[in-house]
Amino acid sequence: MPFFKTLRDGERALLINRQGAGSLADGPQRVFVVGKSFERLQRLSADQKEYIRVQYRNGNIEHLPGPASLFLDPLRMDSANVQNAISLDANEVLVVYQRERESGGVLRRIQYGPTVFTPSADEWIHKFEWHGTDPNNKTRKIPGQLKFTKLRVIPDQFYLNIDDVRTKDDALITVKLMVFFELTEIEKMLNQTADPVADFINAVQADVVAFASQLSYEEFMENSSKLNSVEHYSQLMSLSKRIGYEISKVIFRGYHTSDQLQRLHDQSVEKRSALKVQMESEQQSQDLTDSKLLNEQQRQIMQQSLTVDKLKHKHTLEKEQLVHHIRLDVKDHEEQLERDKAKKMTELQSKKKLQDEQLAHLRQLNELGVDLTTYLVSQHPKPDNVLRVITKGSGSTVHIHP
């Protein structure tokens, strides 16, 4: 039997003598163990996402958040274990309770994410138990099926089938819905309800039953689209505000009836569909006839318009041609007038020049003392006509007729 035990660096051992007294030894060292029991202590360590829960022998409990490490000391501790801290995303919260040491009361606070939460020894987490989805049927809710501690504060939804909804004419149907909701006031929810999903289910059932009870089966089919509007869910909207939720919308996913009623409904739908197809066919025929007549009318209008345009074009061309000829005639006439004017001016200038020459000649003759009257008479020895006027008295009147 060895007299010494070796403790490496980072190790710790418990030594108990024959009287039952214990002591601790830390390495590195050589420990004399004769007459003593030797026990290496278990070392526990926790990283950043863990913590060490220590149960002391005096009843106290301590939580050591990581990173941390310790040796399980049987002299002071009953137990110690490593537990995971709670990781919270940005859309998750925890409801944390803590006992006050002085007053003995309990305080409640909301821990928001994102964070890694390590509860202290005097804190505990609220555990929720709500109606949850049946694993075998997503439209059926089971009490206590949904168990969790992280409360989600983002928009969410659930499917719901409301069975045995009775119409005014005693037809039983199953209404299929999808409810969208969002938690907006956590404190109000904690104070007003223990299971908001159950409250939603009851309120929706009440609203749908009230809606269907006022309508016959045929009327329900015609007005079923109104179930897509939150205005027809008064009890659900009132409840959601009271427990801190907001209902964004409710989707009507259809309905289901008994096989016999569904068969009758299918036959009725088939007949209505056939009549509708027949009516649509007749309507299409009428529309085709109307379209043909309209096209023919438009074609005639277009032909008339083309004819009028051709006549207008022809008249325009004739008018332009006539105007062109008139302009040419006017231009020719103006040119002829200019030529006649030039010719007349030439003749007048020639005649004037001749007269000027004769006048100059007469002036020269006059200067030379020639009797111009005798000269001019001699230039015309035989007059064509000779008039002789003989007057008697000063008051006589003379009439000359050629």
Side-chain angles (χ1 to χ4, degrees):
M1 178 178 179
F3 296 102
F4 292 92
K5 294 285 187 178
T6 301
L7 285 176
R8 296 187 181 90
D9 189 13
E11 292 184 335
R12 178 177 293 179
L14 173 63
L15 302 174
I16 300 177
N17 59 21
R18 294 176 180 176
Q19 287 76 27
S23 62
L24 300 174
D26 294 322
Q29 64 172 310
R30 296 273 293 173
V31 181
F32 183 72
V33 296
V34 176
K36 301 177 183 178
S37 64
F38 179 86
E39 179 184 357
R40 297 181 188 273
L41 300 183
Q42 180 185 358
R43 185 175 181 272
L44 302 176
S45 62
D47 60 18
Q48 290 86 346
K49 294 184 179 181
E50 297 173 332
Y51 66 93
I52 303 174
R53 184 180 186 276
V54 183
Q55 175 75 48
Y56 291 98
R57 306 192 74 174
N58 60 4
N60 290 330
I61 297 176
E62 182 182 10
H63 291 180
L64 300 178
S69 64
L70 60 76
F71 290 96
L72 180 56
D73 184 2
L75 298 179
R76 298 184 304 115
M77 306 174 186
D78 282 337
S79 63
N81 53 72
V82 178
Q83 298 187 5
N84 292 325
I86 302 175
S87 298
L88 294 177
D89 294 335
N91 54 13
E92 294 176 332
V93 300
L94 289 176
V95 180
V96 183
Y97 296 94
Q98 184 178 26
R99 185 180 300 278
E100 289 185 318
R101 295 182 180 180
E102 297 179 357
S103 62
V106 176
L107 296 177
R108 182 176 67 195
R109 65 184 178 91
I110 307 300
Q111 179 64 53
Y112 291 89
T115 186
V116 177
F117 176 71
T118 300
S120 60
D122 57 350
E123 292 179 334
W124 66 95
I125 308 301
H126 186 101
K127 295 181 180 180
F128 298 93
E129 292 188 10
W130 293 356
H131 274 62
T133 303
D134 186 349
N136 301 321
N137 184 1
K138 68 177 183 178
T139 61
R140 181 173 178 267
K141 302 300 178 184
I142 301 176
Q145 176 69 19
L146 187 60
K147 298 179 180 180
F148 61 96
T149 57
K150 299 178 184 179
L151 190 62
R152 300 176 65 184
V153 290
I154 58 173
D156 204 349
Q157 72 281 333
F158 65 86
Y159 294 90
L160 179 64
N161 285 1
I162 304 176
D163 301 324
D164 299 332
V165 178
R166 189 177 297 273
T167 61
K168 187 171 61 175
D169 53 355
D170 291 334
L172 290 178
I173 58 178
T174 298
V175 179
K176 303 177 182 180
L177 299 175
M178 188 175 182
V179 181
F180 292 79
F181 61 92
E182 182 180 1
L183 177 60
T184 56
E185 299 182 60
I186 300 175
E187 291 288 348
K188 184 180 291 188
M189 184 273 293
L190 294 173
N191 294 330
Q192 296 294 330
T193 181
D195 189 348
V197 177
D199 296 339
F200 290 156
I201 294 173
N202 294 332
V204 170
Q205 287 178 341
D207 288 326
V208 172
V209 169
F211 177 81
S213 63
Q214 301 176 1
L215 305 172
S216 65
Y217 180 67
E218 293 291 335
E219 292 172 342
F220 177 82
M221 289 189 298
E222 294 175 358
N223 295 275
S224 59
S225 61
K226 294 181 179 179
L227 291 175
N228 284 311
S229 174
V230 294
E231 297 176 355
H232 293 84
Y233 298 91
S234 58
Q235 298 188 53
L236 175 62
M237 300 304 293
S238 175
L239 169 73
S240 63
K241 293 180 180 179
R242 188 171 66 250
I243 64 176
Y245 276 85
E246 179 181 349
I247 303 297
S248 58
K249 58 183 175 179
V250 179
I251 302 299
F252 174 64
R253 299 172 41 248
Y255 62 92
H256 178 72
T257 61
S258 63
D259 295 337
Q260 182 179 2
L261 185 59
Q262 186 66 36
R263 188 162 51 253
L264 293 175
H265 173 61
D266 292 341
Q267 292 175 358
S268 176
V269 170
E270 185 177 356
K271 291 181 180 179
R272 288 200 303 269
S273 299
L275 291 175
K276 184 177 180 181
V277 170
Q278 183 179 358
M279 184 179 66
E280 290 179 351
S281 178
E282 182 65 23
Q283 183 65 38
Q284 289 178 356
S285 177
Q286 295 293 333
D287 292 342
L288 181 60
T289 303
D290 293 342
S291 178
K292 288 181 178 179
L293 292 175
L294 181 61
N295 291 334
E296 183 66 24
Q297 182 183 10
Q298 292 178 349
R299 189 177 296 108
Q300 292 179 358
I301 293 174
M302 290 177 62
Q303 290 177 352
Q304 293 175 359
S305 177
L306 289 175
T307 303
V308 172
D309 291 340
K310 289 181 179 179
L311 289 175
K312 288 182 178 180
H313 181 64
K314 181 180 178 180
H315 292 164
T316 301
L317 291 179
E318 292 177 352
K319 179 180 178 182
E320 291 179 353
Q321 187 175 6
L322 180 60
V323 170
H324 179 67
H325 288 320
I326 292 174
R327 287 177 179 175
L328 290 178
D329 292 343
V330 170
K331 184 177 181 182
D332 292 341
H333 181 67
E334 290 177 350
E335 291 178 353
Q336 183 64 36
L337 289 177
E338 290 293 332
R339 288 194 297 270
D340 293 344
K341 181 180 179 181
K343 182 178 179 181
K344 184 64 69 174
M345 289 298 295
T346 302
E347 292 177 354
L348 290 175
Q349 288 177 358
S350 299
K351 189 174 182 180
K352 182 177 181 297
K353 183 177 180 182
L354 179 61
Q355 290 176 353
D356 290 340
E357 291 177 353
Q358 292 176 353
L359 181 61
H361 177 65
L362 293 176
R363 286 176 178 174
Q364 291 177 358
L365 293 177
N366 186 36
E367 291 175 358
L368 295 176
V370 178
D371 186 359
L372 295 179
T373 301
T374 303
Y375 175 77
L376 292 174
V377 170
S378 64
Q379 295 296 319
H380 301 282
K382 296 180 179 180
D384 293 334
N385 295 311
V386 177
L387 297 177
R388 180 176 294 176
V389 179
I390 301 174
T391 61
K392 294 180 180 182
S394 58
S396 301
T397 302
V398 180
H399 294 276
I400 299 175
H401 298 278

